[in-house]
Amino acid sequence: MSDTGRFDQAAKDWDLEDRRVILARAVAAAIRARVPISNDDSVLDFGCGTGLLTLELAPLAGSITGADTSPGMLEALAAKAPVARILLDPGKDPDLGGPHSLIVSSMTLHHIPDVPGLFRAFARHLRPGGRVALADLDTEDGSFHTDAQGVHHQGFAREQVIAWLREAGFGDARAETACTTRKEGRDYSIFLALGTKD
Ligand SMILES: C[S@@+](CC[C@H](N)C(=O)[O-])C[C@H]1O[C@@H](n2cnc3c(N)ncnc32)[C@H](O)[C@@H]1O
């Protein structure tokens, strides 16, 4: 089955796993604590899934759009709230609309083969001075996913993410600990990478 098909299948029961809901809330809190969001902001949630992070931030923003390659995930989001959605083609450079003032993402970067290319796409879809706030796993030993299909990175070294962001035009890129997530008795550290488009 394709990676997209697997997420389509998972969409119906995605929110039933408390760990995912708790993680999205913790990431949203980490973003809110570091990035002011107002009703002047156009926010894009990249790899939004069922919108767990999208809907946490929606009340703060002027507009919010969820983008994902999985039609099933976007349908699950649409069933919860009438937010704007973009269905992405997994084989193409992402057309993220905009320009946006903030791009957020949670737990999607490790599914992306070409993360430096994605960061360049983020820069193209942001207004001057636009920001990114991107959460994902710190480097892990591969135990986070029981099935590694579609997993292109076993977490990330923060220095690598920062370097890729700087190369893409986010000169002030930095990364901090957002939270931890507990899965099958193990704790995994989650970073939040932040940057402003030069
Ligand atoms: C682990 S889920 C995270 C979903 C959501 N952000 C959350 O925290 O619940 C990863 C999401 O990334 C999406 N995804 C995978 N590859 C993608 C790509 N190339 N572009 C955009 N989204 C992608 C999947 O369909 C899935 O919804």
Side-chain angles (χ1 to χ4, degrees), residues 31-75:
I31 293 172
R32 280 200 309 265
R34 294 164 177 85
V35 183
I37 302 175
S38 77
N39 59 13
D40 289 332
D41 284 310
S42 158
V43 180
L44 179 95
D45 182 5
F46 179 81
C48 61
T50 62
L52 292 176
L53 175 61
T54 325
L55 298 180
E56 287 289 322
L57 300 180
L60 307 173
S63 67
I64 193 156
T65 302
D68 204 289
T69 46
S70 161
M73 287 287 192
L74 291 179
E75 281 162 24

Side-chain angles (χ1 to χ4, degrees), residues 105 107-112 115 118-119 134 136 153 156 191:
S105 186
M107 299 300 281
T108 297
L109 296 182
H110 62 261
H111 293 293
I112 306 299
V115 177
L118 179 66
F119 288 172
L134 311 169
D136 211 300
H153 309 270
F156 296 91
F191 67 82

Side-chain angles (χ1 to χ4, degrees), residues 36-179:
I37 302 175
S38 77
N39 59 13
D40 289 332
D41 284 310
S42 158
V43 180
L44 179 95
D45 182 5
F46 179 81
C48 61
T50 62
L52 292 176
L53 175 61
T54 325
L55 298 180
E56 287 289 322
L57 300 180
L60 307 173
S63 67
I64 193 156
T65 302
D68 204 289
T69 46
S70 161
M73 287 287 192
L74 291 179
E75 281 162 24
L77 168 57
K80 291 195 281 185
V83 298
R85 298 174 306 282
I86 298 175
L87 177 61
L88 298 170
D89 182 335
K92 291 198 179 147
D93 205 19
D95 181 353
L96 303 174
H100 303 285
S101 49
L102 173 64
I103 295 178
V104 300
S105 186
S106 182
M107 299 300 281
T108 297
L109 296 182
H110 62 261
H111 293 293
I112 306 299
D114 178 12
V115 177
L118 179 66
F119 288 172
R120 290 193 291 275
F122 285 171
R124 286 197 301 278
H125 291 87
L126 281 169
R127 296 177 191 156
R131 297 156 298 168
V132 288
L134 311 169
D136 211 300
L137 292 157
D138 282 301
T139 304
E140 48 100 13
D141 60 4
S143 59
F144 187 82
H145 294 91
T146 41
D147 177 356
Q149 196 189 324
V151 177
H152 296 280
H153 309 270
Q154 292 180 1
F156 296 91
R158 295 182 189 188
E159 304 71 35
Q160 179 67 83
V161 174
I162 291 166
W164 287 335
L165 281 171
R166 290 195 174 146
E167 282 163 21
F170 298 90
D172 67 347
R174 63 197 186 283
E176 299 171 12
T177 300
C179 57

Side-chain angles (χ1 to χ4, degrees), residues 175-188:
E176 299 171 12
T177 300
C179 57
T180 59
T181 187
R182 191 164 183 78
K183 188 176 182 187
E184 283 157 26
R186 296 186 60 169
D187 287 328
Y188 297 87

